[in-house]
Amino acid sequence: MNSMPTNTDPMESLLRILELSDAGGAQTDEDIFVGRGDKTAPQPRLFGGQVLAQSLVAATRTVESDHLVHSMHGYFLRPGDASSALTFGVQRLRDGRSFSARRTHAYQGGVPILSMIASFQRPDSGMEHQEPMPEGIPAPETLPTTAELLGGIDHPVARAWAYERPFDIRHVGSDIYFDVKGEHVAHQAVWLKTLGPMPTDQNLHRAALAYASDYTLLEPSLRRHGISWVTRGISIASLDHAMWWHRPLQVDDWLLYVAQSPSASESRGLNFGRFYNRDGVLVASVAQEGMMRIPEETPKE
């Protein structure tokens, strides 16, 4: 039996997720916002990228409109429930002439599930250099979509990844959905962009990129050890997430996401990533450590 696309519009769902309410103007020593869960998610655990993006949107709502987020550091404290709403408390840490700092806690059930500090800056000028974009990368139009790879599989996660994600994600070379083909290396690249146009708000584009950055960032650690997403008994969870936005970006146009894993130890994998636009401009960088518990193989008799 082949899976079919759902009636869910992924772009509409993404924009609804990034649209927070102000909780009727509720305020304590924090600015309070409320965001939606994702009741269409195929698994009960809330996607970490969603919490990151919503936390950034909440912080953005408290800074001047000419301030853009340039860095974020967050810790995932507890698993989130995909079917439940979230409350965001934003503390205004500092407002200077050029920079503003905010701390956001995301809550479910009265307890924090994410703690994040973000820094915002007015556009400025200064020194310029960047790590160059890798050469010889095939164009995204020449690569298979996730829907083409997973759309024929009758499984809720396969259907969700194929049809319900708001991003078109295309691996350069082989993916690791079912197995790890070729050499087991600790690096990879994917092209990605939203399925449809985004509003012009640059901070919204940056929040959406934070959302997407959590999709594949841990894959280089898995790829290095020949471990695919369907490995029986695998347990993976994001522990922390840091991101830096260097230059203006459009998440509704193709971005090359280059990632590599310098280390894995003690059931943790560390991964770094860089985002380039099609002109080779480095627009953002990201780092994440994830818990990776892989079941031991049964000893052969």
Side-chain angles (χ1 to χ4, degrees):
M1 176 180 176
N2 288 338
S3 302
M4 297 297 292
T6 69
N7 293 325
T8 302
D9 181 339
M11 282 303 299
E12 183 179 325
S13 296
L14 175 64
L15 294 175
R16 278 203 309 267
I17 283 170
L18 298 180
E19 186 179 77
L20 308 183
S21 76
D22 63 0
Q27 194 168 9
T28 57
D29 60 337
E30 301 177 326
D31 296 86
I32 306 299
F33 301 93
V34 176
R36 296 176 174 88
D38 184 3
K39 295 183 178 179
T40 65
Q43 296 174 315
R45 177 175 288 188
L46 187 66
F47 174 51
Q50 174 180 332
V51 190
L52 289 169
Q54 290 175 312
S55 296
L56 278 175
V57 171
T60 300
R61 295 272 291 271
T62 70
V63 300
E64 296 293 331
S65 60
D66 62 347
H67 281 57
L68 298 176
V69 63
H70 72 88
S71 69
M72 172 271 291
H73 300 262
Y75 281 91
F76 296 96
L77 304 176
R78 295 174 177 85
D81 177 7
S83 64
S84 300
L86 299 94
T87 301
F88 301 91
V90 181
Q91 184 179 9
R92 303 183 183 217
L93 299 178
R94 179 180 185 270
D95 285 304
R97 288 184 299 176
S98 299
F99 292 88
S100 292
R102 297 292 186 265
R103 188 224 68 193
T104 303
H105 280 168
Y107 299 93
Q108 277 188 330
V111 296
I113 64 172
L114 177 94
S115 180
M116 182 202 76
I117 291 181
S119 181
F120 298 79
Q121 181 191 15
R122 284 193 177 98
D124 204 348
S125 59
M127 300 180 296
E128 283 277 344
H129 76 270
Q130 69 162 70
E131 185 77 11
M133 179 175 171
E135 297 180 353
I137 301 293
E141 295 84 1
T142 67
L143 304 173
T145 67
T146 306
E148 291 171 335
L149 295 171
L150 301 180
I153 300 172
D154 187 25
H155 188 281
V157 174
R159 287 195 298 270
W161 288 15
Y163 299 120
E164 296 172 17
R165 283 179 167 179
F167 283 82
D168 187 348
I169 301 173
R170 308 188 183 194
H171 282 78
V172 176
S174 63
D175 58 81
I176 65 166
Y177 296 130
F178 304 108
D179 55 17
V180 181
K181 299 181 178 67
E183 187 180 359
H184 293 173
V185 294
H187 57 82
Q188 69 171 25
V190 301
W191 286 102
L192 59 79
K193 71 178 183 69
T194 56
L195 294 176
M198 289 281 292
T200 58
D201 182 357
Q202 179 63 200
N203 267 320
L204 201 61
H205 280 255
R206 296 184 182 205
L209 189 62
Y211 183 106
S213 68
D214 197 35
Y215 278 138
T216 61
L217 185 51
L218 296 181
E219 288 191 349
S221 289
L222 298 175
R223 187 181 292 273
R224 171 63 178 81
H225 295 272
I227 298 166
S228 74
W229 284 112
V230 298
T231 300
R232 187 179 298 276
I234 190 174
S235 178
I236 295 177
S238 303
L239 296 173
D240 61 3
H241 200 101
M243 197 161 181
W244 300 264
W245 292 263
H246 311 304
R247 298 170 179 87
L249 61 95
Q250 299 299 127
V251 80
D252 49 8
D253 198 1
W254 288 111
L255 296 170
L256 181 68
Y257 190 8
V258 181
Q260 54 103 9
S261 175
S263 176
S265 62
E266 299 186 4
S267 297
R268 303 189 316 273
L270 178 63
N271 294 262
F272 298 124
R274 303 192 304 274
F275 290 93
Y276 295 89
N277 66 22
R278 294 195 72 162
D279 294 327
V281 176
L282 180 64
V283 297
S285 301
V286 63
Q288 184 180 94
E289 189 171 47
M291 181 202 75
M292 297 181 161
R293 293 199 171 115
I294 313 301
E296 295 182 4
E297 293 183 357
T298 303
K300 297 180 181 180
E301 295 182 359

